[in-house]
């Protein structure tokens, strides 16, 4: 297994290009199943999760051709001969559940493995299933699979989510585009990735209103056409790299960044003593002057502070002046980076869903282990400013969500390299 070696160094400067959003692409790709016309995605990120979703779609009979080094995905679901998503693919990536709504909507049947949990939580899919039932689906859970049918097709329904679930909103939205009649999604998730999906579906001929708000109304149509869609910028990769100059000092421009993608996060950076300036090319980030100040953070569905940036923000607050409190309200087990940061000298106390971080002067490099996607990159950020060398192992977690992290960070002056272990 590969590891990444980071030597703490000085200020960073230069530009980092931000890729297309992994979490947008993972819902845009299953949308191909809704139509027999070609769907082409531009600005797709080159990540292992995208390759896993490609394999899944191909196992169903879709054609997925990766062009321009993976930045363009040309897809066609003209001949879907298989409507079963096997456990051995679904367990690798939970987003596979997002083929359920499209398969059911277009073919009236789908058999999809329950995704199971992952390191950060149990990750149930009850909200996905309730939404599809509200559209007339019959769901039979057995041997770890969802056996879904909708003999006469799905029909428009009223769906009120107990929680603004991103995935459940995406599954329901895609299914509703081909349901007979009108569907209303209440307490829908408002993430930019959902707005991006709605835009793509509309380009395919779907009738959708209210994306980005908590009430979405979808008028079902008989069939959808094809489209060519540019994937929205990845706000989580953006926020992650904004923290690099915040932690190390210097000034970095994040190409493609927009404040609107991360308003709550930018407000917290400002309170912590980090300036964010929007230019026509992206966002310029630098420390205002002197120390980083402690701030309190509570994760929430969009437009709140993103849970996917909690681990990275903790890395910044480890050397802030004062005590910070990070409250994780989305997932039940998303502080696994804390013990690893403590190996580097951080002073963190985790109680239930709250981590109390007492700032220390400096972190010290140490061998640490990545436990999940976002934890892995928080350890790299901490290593950038730590004294000495940090070796992050199990970086396969990183490859799921960050393309070319070594090239992007060394491009702005970080001392970082990838070690391939025999
Ligand atoms: C999406 O996961 C993202 N993944 C996650 O990013 C992100 O952390 C999450 O949204 C929250 O923003 C993708 O888009 C592929 P949820 P998702 O449904 O859809 C509970 C990353 O690092 N819940 O909003 O699974 C669930 O247990 C990943 O890129 C139910 O109880 O998130 C969790 O506690 C990690 N029942 C909370 O809601 C359900 O049916 C948030 O889940 C669904 C969810």
């Amino acid at each position: 297994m590969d590891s990444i070696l980071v030597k703490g160094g000085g200020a960073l400067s230069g530009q980092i290009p931000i890729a297309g959003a992994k979490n947008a692409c993972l819902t845009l790709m299953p949308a191909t199943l809704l139509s027999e016309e070609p769907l082409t995605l531009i600005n797709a990120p080159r990540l292992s999760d995208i390759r896993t979703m490609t394999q899944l779609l191909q196992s169903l009979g879709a054609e997925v051709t990766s062009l321009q080094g993976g930045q363009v995905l040309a897809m066609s679901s003209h001949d879907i001969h298989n409507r079963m998503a096997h456990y051995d693919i679904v367990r690798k990536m939970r987003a596979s559940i997002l083929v359920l709504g499209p398969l059911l909507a277009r073919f009236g049947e789908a058999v999809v493995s329950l995704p199971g949990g992952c390191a950060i939580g149990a990750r149930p899919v009850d909200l996905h299933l309730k939404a599809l039932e509200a559209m007339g689906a019959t769901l039979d859970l057995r041997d770890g699979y969802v056996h879904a049918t909708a003999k006469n097709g799905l029909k428009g329904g009223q769906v009120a989510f107990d929680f603004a679930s991103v995935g459940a909103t995406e599954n329901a939205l895609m299914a509703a585009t081909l349901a007979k009649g009108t569907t209303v999604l209440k307490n829908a998730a408002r993430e930019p990735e959902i707005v991006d999906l709605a835009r793509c579906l509309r380009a395919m001929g779907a009738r959708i209103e209210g994306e980005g708000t908590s009430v979405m109304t979808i008028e079902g149509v008989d069939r959808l056409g094809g489209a060519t869609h540019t994937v929205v910028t990845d706000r989580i990769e953006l926020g992650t790299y904004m923290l690099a100059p915040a932690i190390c000092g210097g000034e970095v421009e994040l190409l493609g960044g927009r404040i609107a993608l991360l308003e709550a996060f930018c407000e917290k950076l400002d309170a912590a003593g980090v300036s964010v300036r929007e230019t026509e090319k992206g966002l310029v980030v630098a420390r205002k002057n002197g120390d980083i100040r402690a701030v309190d953070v509570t994760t929430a569905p969009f437009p709140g502070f993103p849970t996917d940036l909690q681990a990275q923000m903790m890395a910044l607050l480890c050397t802030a002046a004062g005590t910070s409190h990070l409250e994780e309200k989305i997932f039940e087990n998303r502080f696994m980076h804390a013990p690893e940061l403590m190996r580097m000298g951080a002073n963190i106390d985790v109680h239930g869903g709250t981590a109390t971080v007492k700032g220390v002067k400096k972190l010290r490099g140490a061998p640490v282990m990545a436990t999940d996607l976002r934890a892995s990159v928080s350890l790299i950020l901490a290593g950038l400013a730590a004294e000495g060398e940090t070796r992050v192992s199990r970086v396969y977690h990183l490859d799921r969500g960050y393309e070319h992290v070594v090239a992007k960070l060394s491009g702005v002056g970080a001392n970082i390299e990838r070690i391939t272990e025999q």
Side-chain angles (χ1 to χ4, degrees):
M1 277 187 274
D2 290 5
S3 53
I4 284 188
L5 212 52
V6 190
K7 289 197 183 79
L12 304 177
S13 71
Q15 297 179 321
I16 298 181
I18 301 301
K22 164 180 86 79
N23 291 347
C25 207
L26 289 176
T27 190
L28 289 163
M29 291 175 74
T32 180
L33 297 168
L34 291 165
S35 165
E36 55 189 41
E37 307 291 328
L39 173 60
T40 300
L41 299 179
I42 296 171
N43 191 37
R46 291 156 290 193
L47 302 168
S48 60
D49 270 7
I50 303 304
R51 290 189 288 276
T52 304
M53 181 60 81
T54 297
Q55 286 162 12
L56 173 57
L57 293 174
Q58 288 171 338
S59 75
L60 301 174
E63 286 164 40
V64 183
T65 310
S66 174
L67 305 166
Q68 291 179 29
Q71 283 201 295
V72 172
L73 296 173
M75 303 180 289
S76 162
S77 295
H78 193 269
D79 302 320
I80 299 298
H81 50 70
N82 169 29
R83 285 127 202 205
M84 178 173 197
H86 280 279
Y87 176 60
D88 54 359
I89 289 193
V90 176
R91 70 178 170 76
K92 272 199 290 187
M93 188 190 59
R94 302 188 60 267
S96 309
I97 191 74
L98 295 173
V99 303
L100 177 59
L103 283 173
L104 193 52
R106 178 142 167 244
F107 302 106
E109 62 171 357
V111 180
V112 178
S113 166
L114 285 165
C118 73
I120 62 176
R123 311 292 295 274
V125 291
D126 55 310
L127 300 177
H128 299 238
L129 305 183
K130 265 166 67 179
L132 295 173
E133 279 177 327
M135 288 185 226
T138 305
L139 304 177
D140 177 13
L141 299 192
R142 61 176 191 276
D143 7 304
Y145 283 79
V146 183
H147 297 257
T149 51
K151 286 252 171 313
N152 311 313
L154 293 174
K155 58 186 188 344
Q158 299 290 319
V159 179
F161 292 112
D162 300 341
F163 173 83
S165 156
V166 171
T169 302
E170 291 163 345
N171 242 332
L173 170 59
M174 289 189 282
T177 58
L178 293 178
K180 292 182 187 63
T182 303
T183 298
V184 178
L185 306 180
K186 288 196 176 121
N187 195 23
R190 300 167 53 192
E191 273 68 5
E193 293 75 36
I194 288 171
V195 173
D196 203 39
L197 173 62
R199 286 191 181 132
C200 177
L201 293 169
R202 192 175 290 122
M204 295 165 73
R207 294 203 196 121
I208 300 166
E209 283 173 15
E211 70 273 12
T213 75
S214 50
V215 181
M216 295 178 76
T217 305
I218 304 100
E219 195 64 48
V221 294
D222 295 338
R223 60 186 297 283
L224 289 177
T228 296
H229 178 79
T230 300
V231 180
V232 67
T233 301
D234 191 323
R235 63 195 168 97
I236 305 303
E237 188 193 26
L238 170 64
T240 301
Y241 288 125
M242 288 169 72
L243 285 165
I247 285 181
C248 298
E251 181 174 276
V252 172
E253 182 169 30
L254 295 309
L255 303 179
R258 307 314 294 158
I259 286 181
L261 289 170
L262 281 175
E263 249 165 316
F265 176 73
C266 291
E267 281 162 18
K268 283 297 171 188
L269 283 189
D270 181 61
V274 178
S275 77
V276 179
R277 182 166 50 86
E278 192 163 274
T279 65
E280 80 217 43
K281 284 192 289 188
L283 299 181
V284 174
V285 178
R287 278 192 185 186
K288 285 181 196 163
N289 43 35
D291 278 345
I292 292 296
R293 296 189 295 272
V295 291
D296 290 344
V297 169
T298 300
T299 63
F302 193 87
F305 189 100
T307 174
D308 292 349
L309 285 171
Q310 176 260 107
Q312 300 91 312
M313 190 70 179
M314 187 183 285
L316 174 70
L317 297 174
C318 285
T319 54
T323 299
S324 307
H325 301 89
L326 291 105
E327 216 184 348
E328 174 53 62
K329 305 281 276 183
I330 306 292
F331 291 108
E332 61 266 34
N333 184 31
R334 205 169 196 178
F335 286 133
M336 288 174 294
H337 41 286
E340 301 302 313
L341 290 167
M342 288 157 78
R343 287 176 50 76
M344 299 174 71
N347 182 338
I348 306 169
D349 197 18
V350 173
H351 267 290
T354 301
T356 302
V357 182
K358 286 193 179 64
V360 296
K361 263 267 159 278
K362 197 98 168 132
L363 294 178
R364 290 182 310 282
V368 289
M369 186 178 75
T371 50
D372 61 86
L373 166 57
R374 307 301 174 181
S376 53
V377 79
S378 80
L379 300 173
I380 289 178
L381 288 171
L384 289 178
E387 227 147 55
E389 194 174 87
T390 299
R391 188 185 188 102
V392 183
S393 60
R394 301 194 179 184
V395 288
Y396 56 83
H397 289 292
L398 203 66
D399 297 337
R400 297 191 51 182
Y402 292 90
E403 59 171 51
H404 312 318
V405 66
V406 171
K408 291 188 176 186
L409 284 174
S410 44
V412 291
N415 188 333
I416 180 172
E417 60 177 311
R418 186 170 184 132
I419 314 281
T420 302
E421 265 135 27
Q422 305 310 335

